[in-house]
Amino acid sequence: MGTMSRRTTTRPEPCPCGHPQPYEKCCGRLHRGEAAATAPEELMRSRYSAFARRDEAYLLRTWHPRTRPPRVEFDPAMRWTGLTIEETTDGTAFHTTGTVTFRARYTDSGRPDSLHERSRFERADGAWVYVDGDFID
């Protein structure tokens, strides 16, 4: 008697940014450098995913040189749990600046909380980069 092999299929990892595409086809391609964000909202989503995955290299690479910190510190007690984009302004192919207002949900040592921010983005050498943001609330 032969043994039956069971084919196990692994479900693609969901993207932390909340889009329905799997991580590999969504923010993963940006993190790997296979594509660049085409608008501030796409960059915001990919940066949120980079925080969720603790991808310091991507965060630094997509931070404007004039405001970029020397490194990104990740709090081991913090887990990012969801992103809501509330508003975007400018940031089309015809703009050099744009803003994204978002709420990023997280837990800190198991306690739920959120970060509400209006982020500013600029083009630097043709690529969208994060400049800074203002906290809301």
Side-chain angles (χ1 to χ4, degrees):
M1 263 194 172
T3 59
M4 288 183 100
S5 66
R6 253 192 213 184
R7 184 184 302 176
T8 58
T9 56
T10 57
R11 293 179 67 178
E13 179 184 355
C15 195
C17 83
H19 270 184
Q21 286 188 310
Y23 168 76
E24 290 299 316
K25 292 183 178 180
C26 191
C27 293
R29 64 193 176 79
L30 297 161
H31 293 173
R32 292 187 304 274
E34 296 168 2
T38 59
E41 181 179 338
E42 186 179 22
L43 182 61
M44 176 64 240
R45 288 180 175 282
S46 69
R47 286 177 55 83
Y48 171 85
S49 292
F51 271 105
R53 297 176 61 85
R54 294 181 160 88
D55 186 342
E56 181 185 30
Y58 181 77
L59 291 166
L60 293 174
R61 191 169 70 243
T62 57
W63 213 308
H64 197 290
R66 81 171 178 267
T67 58
R68 180 187 307 135
R71 55 173 305 159
V72 178
E73 299 288 334
F74 297 104
D75 181 344
M78 186 179 265
R79 298 282 177 261
W80 295 99
T81 59
L83 175 68
T84 303
I85 303 295
E86 296 179 349
E87 180 183 32
T88 62
T89 61
D90 299 334
T92 70
F94 302 105
H95 296 106
T96 57
T97 63
T99 65
V100 177
T101 303
F102 68 93
R103 186 175 298 274
R105 293 175 303 287
Y106 63 91
T107 60
D108 188 356
S109 299
R111 290 183 313 274
D113 206 342
S114 68
L115 167 72
H116 197 196
E117 181 178 305
R118 179 173 298 108
S119 295
R120 283 180 284 283
F121 297 86
E122 290 180 11
R123 287 190 193 267
D125 296 324
W128 285 107
V129 291
Y130 170 78
V131 177
D132 60 17
D134 295 320
F135 295 116
I136 302 170
D137 292 344

